[in-house]
Amino acid sequence: MTRRARPIALAGIAVAGIVLAGCAGGGGSSDDTEGPITLKWFQGSGVETNIATADALAEAFNASQSDIIVEVDASGPSDSAALDNLMKTRLATNEMPDMFWYNSGSLLQALSPDQTMLNIADTDFVSNLDPAWVAAVSTADGVFGVPVQTAGGGGFFYNIPMYEELGLEVPNTWDEFLANADAIKDAGYTAVEMTFGDAWTSQIVTLADFYNIWASDNDWAAKYTANEVNFADDPVAVQSFTKLQDIYDGGYLNEDFASALLNDGLEAVATGTAGHYPMLGFAQATIATNWPDNIDDVGFFGIPGENADEHGMTIWMPPALYAPANTEHPDAVKEFMAFVASPAGCDAVTGALGATGAYLVEGCSVPDEAPRIVADWGPYFDSGMIAPALEFLSPVKGPNLMQIDVEVGSGVRSGESGAELYDADAAKQAQQLGLEGW
Amino acid sequence: MATIAPSDATEAVVTSPGKRPPRRKYAQRMYPRWFLLPGAVIFFVLFIAPTFASFYYAFTRWTLFDVEFIGFDNFVTFFTDPQLSKGFTNTLIFGTLTSGLKVVLGLLIGVLLTSEIWARGYLRAVVFFPVLVSTVGVGITFQALMDPYDGLINRALAVVGIDGPGWLTNPDLALYSIIIVDVWRGVGLAALIYMAGLVAIPQEYYEAAKVDGAGAWHRFRNITLPLVRPATTTVIILSLIGGLREFQLIWVMTGGGPGFASDVLASVIYKQYAYGFYGLSTAGNVVLFVVVSAVILPLFWWLNRKQTDL
């Protein structure tokens, strides 16, 4: 008995040892041999257009020179929370491949870029990037990412044939918007589509309203980061929540707002069962794919405020390409980043996705053939009536906004109460980041 | 480790413990104490060490990169969290309701399936079947069934003219809908435990009672109920622990929503972890551990004391 068991037990320990050793050996790629350097680009598998963008950039770059080969590894989790955890773990354990795709703005701060990422502040190509972009991928000590897609607006998608049928005009104040919504409701359509089945979509009205706060005080974001202002006590900022309440109170919503999903909302506004759908610009690509006949039936306007002359638009920065601090090929990575941050890089993205918004690289141009939603952003960009969303100006962003906005948007909680709850939520996150003044 | 199978001789020792104390010592010599080592190392490294580490990390604000000791701040934040009070009551509602329903329904099904009825074996399999299905699969299936517009449940209700509610989208209903699904999923195990307890009751008691003229209700009330108390204790403890810690089903079906309507402690903790509030969520886990212990230990003691009184 004992004589038989001992070798088996020892074998078991040996196997366990081999397995553990195997775990430790993963990650880093080495190439001592001559020949081109291979860079791995790590990417989540969830968003097809993102993978297409990465592939297009890698392909164009690989074709342009022969010293470096970029390989896209889109094997990450499709679920964004799971991807987030994997990214953080890989960065903390120095297991991240040479480059990776991640959000810009407040989410970047949680990755502690100063400790984990390659600082590209000393490169030439950073000066080609839009200053608002650089701010969204920087800490006090460094710049870390280059934009992989375009900036686009967030606000209301609206159905143009319905507006024409009812003789409505694009509203420039919130009251005009409510009047339009009443007219649509009276005509028997859904005035405002909401899709809380995908809870994140509930946040768009609140987040896209930031232009109006910014217009009232250009330094609001800095004060917010320093805990000098908040949503509940600021008469302008609180409207980001009360507007959502107005939409519920007005009875404008689709019957199935609590369970509908993003695609239901896009379909409704594209095919004309709903007049408005608050959404971010990236979703126009889904309309173009799923309802190509209706792509020019959907227009866009920013969330209106109180002043008709100041009707602007909140814009969302694209995600970025970053590199971990411990990459073995920092120069090769910077060379690829320089390509991404050049007109050739922009053209590669345009080739993959078409016209999706404004590029943040100097010298890049949007093709003339743009879908209606993208074209509607033009005047806002041209007149400078734009502000980046708060998450690109301040690291403070409460994580429970979507749940709070579902409550406000479903009439469970008032706008004021939602603003107070969100302030408390944001305070927790600011404390976690160790910011001054919280 | 499964390859180190005990010989027939030791199995015999294991199955008859207590009767012959000297032979147990022999068994101990058969297996040197260091045989425990591999298991103990794994248990210590993967279970004991993290458990005690979590008591320390609950008092810190930590990212994956650095740790800062902040005393009781995490606990203060955790308890002042507005969504926590909701999560706390929901946890208690979920735990007690699922546990209570599993006891009542489990006993009824157990009695039914131990009596002489048609297709008993088949029905036993059917009742136990949901226990074998993945919780996530159950959650996704019922999420589809409970869809307020396209779901089978409301479609079926519409046929008989009833306008079904938003099972998972109505904030007042969401938690209770999940409770129903959890009971559906877990009642098979409760019934199984009851069946084992019921068949162990000697038939002579019932026969004696019948001779004395006791009706079906009296036999159930005065023989069955007291004598399945050990099974009841097991069902209560298992389902209560499971209910207080329930996460998968809630997360799959509603994600704690709409809003915070179906958040329980476990989902609040998970969300805090996902947001990167590692210290805070560790503190939450310590609280959950204390709450589960505070409910279960006295209950366990009380239920077992009752049992010995019998």
Side-chain angles (χ1 to χ4, degrees), chain A residues 14-27:
Chain A
V15 167
I18 290 164
V19 170
L20 291 174
C23 293

Side-chain angles (χ1 to χ4, degrees), chain B residues 94 98 102 105 126-140 142 177-191 238-239 242-243 245-250 253:
Chain B
F94 193 93
T98 53
K102 282 175 194 171
L105 294 175
V126 166
V127 166
F128 192 69
F129 177 70
V131 180
L132 304 173
V133 184
S134 126
T135 311
V136 174
V138 170
I140 292 174
F142 272 89
S177 302
I178 303 171
I179 286 175
I180 293 170
V181 177
D182 185 68
V183 171
W184 176 82
R185 186 180 64 93
V187 78
L189 191 63
L238 281 181
S239 59
R245 292 162 56 239
E246 181 59 51
F247 169 74
Q248 296 179 58
L249 201 58
I250 292 172
M253 292 181 72

Side-chain angles (χ1 to χ4, degrees), chain B residues 11 53 59 71 84 115 142 169 188 215 224 281 300 304:
Chain B
E11 259 175 15
F59 292 97
L84 183 83
S115 60
F142 272 89
T169 52
T224 309
S281 74
F300 190 67
N304 277 329

Side-chain angles (χ1 to χ4, degrees), chain A residues 8 116 255-256 400 421 428, chain B residues 3 65 81-83 149 275:
Chain A
I8 292 171
T116 59
E255 190 188 28
D256 61 347
N400 283 310
L421 192 59
K428 252 195 300 184
Chain B
T3 46
F65 310 103
D81 193 332
Q83 70 194 78
Y149 297 93
Y275 301 150

Side-chain angles (χ1 to χ4, degrees), chain A residues 70-411:
Chain A
V70 175
E71 282 179 4
V72 177
D73 168 15
S75 64
S78 59
D79 173 62
S80 65
L83 183 63
D84 217 64
N85 280 331
L86 181 65
M87 292 273 187
K88 286 173 184 165
T89 313
R90 287 201 165 180
L91 281 173
T93 54
N94 291 334
E95 300 266 323
M96 185 63 92
D98 302 293
M99 297 179 295
F100 60 98
W101 171 301
Y102 197 72
N103 299 66
S104 53
S106 68
L107 286 170
L108 168 67
Q109 307 296 328
L111 297 186
S112 308
D114 288 335
Q115 288 143 310
T116 59
M117 290 191 197
L118 183 69
N119 187 344
I120 55 168
D122 61 344
T123 57
D124 297 334
F125 59 81
V126 169
S127 58
N128 295 338
L129 300 173
D130 187 285
W133 164 262
V134 175
V137 289
S138 299
T139 63
D141 299 323
V143 181
F144 300 95
V146 290
V148 283
Q149 286 170 347
T150 54
F156 281 112
F157 288 12
Y158 71 100
N159 185 271
I160 297 169
M162 192 186 292
Y163 260 58
E164 284 169 354
E165 178 196 327
L166 301 174
L168 300 173
E169 302 247 332
V170 168
N172 285 318
T173 67
W174 185 248
D175 291 334
E176 285 174 24
F177 168 76
L178 293 179
N180 280 2
D182 280 328
I184 295 172
K185 182 183 156 192
D186 293 343
Y189 300 111
T190 297
V192 182
E193 178 87 10
M194 285 286 185
T195 53
F196 296 162
D198 281 326
W200 65 269
T201 63
S202 67
Q203 312 169 86
I204 307 302
V205 171
T206 302
L207 294 176
D209 190 51
F210 182 71
Y211 173 83
N212 295 310
I213 304 175
W214 182 84
S216 76
D217 179 356
N218 286 185
D219 294 326
W220 201 87
K223 292 177 187 168
Y224 183 65
T225 308
N227 198 14
E228 289 163 16
V229 291
N230 64 26
F231 278 93
D233 299 329
D234 186 308
V236 179
V238 75
Q239 292 177 21
S240 298
F241 290 88
T242 54
K243 282 174 181 171
L244 199 53
Q245 187 189 347
D246 288 345
I247 292 172
Y248 177 81
D249 290 347
Y252 304 137
L253 296 184
N254 44 311
E255 190 188 28
D256 61 347
F257 72 91
S259 61
L261 304 175
L262 169 67
N263 275 3
D264 301 328
L266 294 172
E267 181 175 16
V269 76
T271 57
T273 55
H276 304 97
Y277 182 44
M279 193 25 65
L280 299 184
F282 82 92
Q284 58 88 14
T286 311
I287 297 181
T289 310
N290 293 359
W291 302 279
D293 299 341
N294 300 105
I295 184 67
D296 286 322
D297 292 344
V298 187
F300 174 94
F301 57 87
I303 308 273
E306 285 170 336
N307 188 340
D309 299 332
E310 281 191 357
H311 186 188
M313 172 173 81
T314 307
I315 61 168
W316 263 258
M317 293 293 176
L321 179 69
Y322 304 99
N326 69 325
T327 173
E328 289 173 31
H329 314 291
D331 294 327
V333 166
K334 284 176 186 172
E335 206 173 307
F336 179 61
M337 285 183 168
F339 173 81
V340 173
S342 72
C346 299
D347 291 344
V349 176
T350 306
L353 304 181
T356 54
Y359 286 101
L360 298 161
V361 180
E362 207 172 274
C364 288
S365 55
V366 184
D368 298 328
E369 282 283 305
R372 175 61 192 258
I373 291 173
V374 176
D376 279 353
W377 295 338
Y380 294 105
F381 278 111
D382 293 345
S383 63
M385 305 283 265
I386 52 170
L390 182 56
E391 65 200 76
F392 302 105
L393 300 174
S394 167
V396 181
K397 188 183 184 216
N400 283 310
L401 180 60
M402 68 175 83
Q403 286 86 357
I404 294 168
D405 271 348
V406 165
E407 291 194 330
V408 174
S410 334

Side-chain angles (χ1 to χ4, degrees), chain B residues 243-307:
Chain B
L244 293 176
R245 292 162 56 239
E246 181 59 51
F247 169 74
Q248 296 179 58
L249 201 58
I250 292 172
W251 194 251
V252 172
M253 292 181 72
T254 63
F260 305 104
S262 59
D263 258 330
V264 293
L265 275 183
S267 67
V268 171
I269 291 165
Y270 176 82
K271 280 195 271 185
Q272 287 171 340
Y273 174 76
Y275 301 150
F277 302 172
Y278 301 127
L280 193 59
S281 74
T282 313
N285 265 321
V286 170
V287 171
L288 180 62
F289 173 79
V290 171
V291 167
V292 172
S293 310
V295 172
I296 297 296
L297 288 181
L299 190 72
F300 190 67
W301 173 80
W302 183 74
L303 288 171
N304 277 329
R305 194 192 51 141
K306 284 278 209 173
Q307 195 179 311

